Amino acid sequence: MKFSYQPKETASKLELLLGCLTNPGRFSILLLGSRGVGKSHWVHEIVKTKKSNDCFNGIVEIHASILNFYDLKSLNEVLNSTDGKVLIIKDVECLCHEKQDLLFEFLSTTDGCFGLNEKNISCRIVFTSTLKIESLRDNEHYLKHKFFDRIAQLVVQLPSFQDGNRSISRDFYATWKKMKFPEDMYPKLILDWLNDKSGEFYGNFRDLDKIAINWRNFQLMNWNDEEILKQVQNDFYGYYKFPENNLESKNYFKIDDDADYYKDLLPNFRNHIKLRALEIYNNNLKKAPEKKPFGVPYRTMERW
């Protein structure tokens, strides 16, 4: 499977993803990338063309937050259904710690097979996330350390428009073709704007989808290209531009919805405060109590 029609950086990452998926071991894959870069899409495309592989007999795809509501029986049924397939768990950062513990047990192999009760499931597992690797790896706000270590045996990061290393013009043309819009109506007038503003397309391909759909709609209304360009630009910023991912904010603290009491949240919250203090005050907690927003004796913070 060749990816030469993709920009060089994207093609190299897709080749890496292909290599990870076809690796003879049953190593877990952590697939990173911003919203809309095609994480699940590319897994589906590779599986579609590689079904002859002994592990590529289909895909089971589920969002991590849904797994949080499954009891043990339901979770086991889902996992058992993945035998001989690729399992995609989307937005792994949304997985509660209880389910992380269960999946950790599932991922412990015997003779290369997974399972909770019996080790008899042969599948390829891909975990996706929009967060940076540091957010997932360097503390336990999202993922427990032992769970992260288990799922990040192979890591692939797909580039986004913000990385400035992919051709948005080529991607918009691919989007136009995907929508099966008339090729002779392809709007070349938009290309300068796309290239100039590519760093603002936080939705990546999802933003391009909406731009193409709206442009074609105005064409059907018999607007000329100059009118369409102005209207699409206004509507993009006013209505359908995908927002920047704010979960990467270092001041953000994720509340575990499965926590029963405040006391269950407190250890992670204290750790969050301590880590921020260490970062802000150059690993010197003695300086932290002197300034807002901490105001906690450093000896207390050291024990957190």
Side-chain angles (χ1 to χ4, degrees):
M1 186 176 185
K2 299 298 183 182
F3 303 101
S4 57
Y5 55 91
Q6 288 289 325
K8 184 177 180 181
E9 176 68 16
T10 303
S12 66
K13 295 297 185 180
L14 294 176
E15 292 285 356
L16 176 59
L17 177 59
L18 172 61
C20 292
L21 286 167
T22 55
N23 186 294
R26 290 293 181 261
F27 305 113
S28 298
I29 301 168
L30 179 59
L31 183 55
L32 304 174
S34 301
R35 298 286 182 200
V37 298
K39 296 186 291 297
S40 295
H41 165 78
W42 284 115
V43 174
H44 279 270
E45 287 297 306
I46 291 172
V47 169
K48 188 191 307 181
T49 58
K50 290 287 184 179
K51 282 188 176 180
S52 59
N53 185 283
D54 62 354
C55 195
F56 287 179
N57 297 320
I59 293 180
V60 175
E61 183 173 338
I62 191 166
H63 195 276
S65 61
I66 296 176
L67 293 177
N68 292 337
F69 296 97
Y70 282 19
D71 58 22
L72 183 57
K73 179 181 178 181
S74 299
L75 178 62
N76 205 31
E77 288 176 353
V78 170
L79 296 176
N80 286 337
S81 73
T82 67
D83 190 37
K85 301 177 182 178
V86 174
L87 170 61
I88 303 176
I89 297 181
K90 301 179 66 174
D91 293 333
V92 65
E93 66 271 13
C94 296
L95 199 64
C96 68
H97 282 188
E98 177 190 358
K99 292 303 187 294
Q100 289 179 34
D101 289 338
L102 287 173
L103 281 176
F104 181 85
E105 294 302 320
F106 174 79
L107 292 169
S108 300
T109 59
T110 299
D111 296 327
C113 291
F114 304 116
L116 286 177
N117 300 323
E118 299 180 27
K119 300 295 182 179
N120 56 6
I121 299 172
S122 176
C123 68
R124 177 79 60 185
I125 306 179
V126 180
F127 297 89
T128 76
S129 178
T130 61
L131 299 184
K132 295 178 181 177
I133 191 71
E134 294 84 359
S135 298
L136 301 174
R137 180 195 62 205
D138 294 348
N139 58 69
E140 295 190 310
H141 295 166
Y142 299 105
L143 303 181
K144 300 177 75 169
H145 289 318
K146 68 173 187 177
F147 182 70
F148 172 83
D149 185 62
R150 181 60 55 85
I151 71 171
Q153 295 168 316
L154 297 169
V155 180
V156 180
Q157 169 118 27
L158 297 183
S160 70
F161 293 140
Q162 290 74 55
D163 298 324
N165 54 12
R166 57 188 302 167
S167 170
I168 194 170
S169 300
R170 186 180 300 178
D171 290 335
F172 185 69
Y173 179 69
T175 299
W176 190 265
K177 289 187 66 176
K178 177 187 70 176
M179 297 291 183
K180 298 182 178 179
F181 295 152
E183 192 156 350
D184 61 345
M185 299 296 288
Y186 176 67
K188 295 182 180 179
L189 186 63
I190 199 175
L191 298 183
D192 286 342
W193 177 61
L194 292 179
N195 286 314
D196 184 51
K197 301 296 183 181
S198 61
E200 300 176 10
F201 289 84
Y202 300 110
N204 293 284
F205 278 99
R206 296 181 187 179
D207 281 342
L208 296 188
D209 285 347
K210 288 178 282 188
I211 290 171
I213 290 168
N214 280 272
W215 192 288
R216 180 58 184 154
N217 186 59
F218 288 123
Q219 285 181 338
L220 295 172
M221 295 168 60
N222 295 319
W223 288 29
N224 64 50
D225 281 356
E226 288 76 13
E227 292 174 320
I228 295 175
L229 177 61
K230 184 176 180 180
Q231 191 64 47
V232 165
Q233 290 172 335
N234 290 336
D235 290 350
F236 177 74
Y237 292 111
Y239 300 124
Y240 50 81
K241 178 178 182 290
F242 199 89
E244 186 174 4
N245 186 359
N246 290 321
L247 291 184
E248 288 295 339
S249 170
K250 294 178 180 178
N251 290 322
Y252 177 83
F253 175 70
K254 178 178 179 289
I255 294 178
D256 185 353
D257 292 335
D258 284 351
D260 293 326
Y261 301 101
Y262 166 72
K263 66 179 182 179
D264 297 326
L265 296 172
L266 194 55
N268 278 341
F269 181 68
R270 285 173 170 168
N271 184 58
H272 175 77
I273 294 295
K274 180 180 178 180
L275 290 172
R276 289 292 289 127
L278 286 169
E279 183 175 25
I280 292 172
Y281 299 107
N282 297 319
N283 293 317
N284 188 348
L285 290 178
K286 292 182 180 180
K287 295 181 180 179
E290 300 174 4
K291 299 180 180 180
K292 295 180 180 180
F294 303 106
V296 177
Y298 75 90
R299 294 193 182 278
T300 299
M301 201 177 293
E302 284 177 339
R303 294 195 294 270
W304 289 353

